Amino acid sequence: MQPLETIYIDDDTVGCDGGGGPLGHPLVYLPLAPTGQASCPYCSRLYIQTEESKAAGGHGH
């Protein structure tokens, strides 16, 4: 099954609330380690850590 949306991020943890404000879902924090990606159990968004961020130790700011 394809994810609804794929989002590339620079951190090793992401908070997902569905992006719909009051129509979203509860805020969950998803760790991307050790694979560099995580899928939200509520909305199926796929978060992928950028290669630059992995090289920088997970903090691409």
Side-chain angles (χ1 to χ4, degrees):
M1 179 180 193
Q2 288 287 83
L4 293 176
E5 186 175 11
T6 299
I7 301 170
Y8 294 89
I9 62 166
D10 290 331
D11 289 318
D12 54 1
T13 303
V14 64
C16 183
D17 64 2
L23 300 177
H25 59 69
L27 176 64
V28 292
Y29 291 96
L30 308 168
L32 279 67
T35 64
Q37 64 181 25
S39 180
C40 178
Y42 288 100
C43 67
S44 299
R45 282 182 171 165
L46 177 62
Y47 293 93
I48 298 176
Q49 188 178 19
T50 62
E51 290 300 320
E52 296 82 21
S53 176
K54 287 181 193 176
H59 300 285
H61 311 248

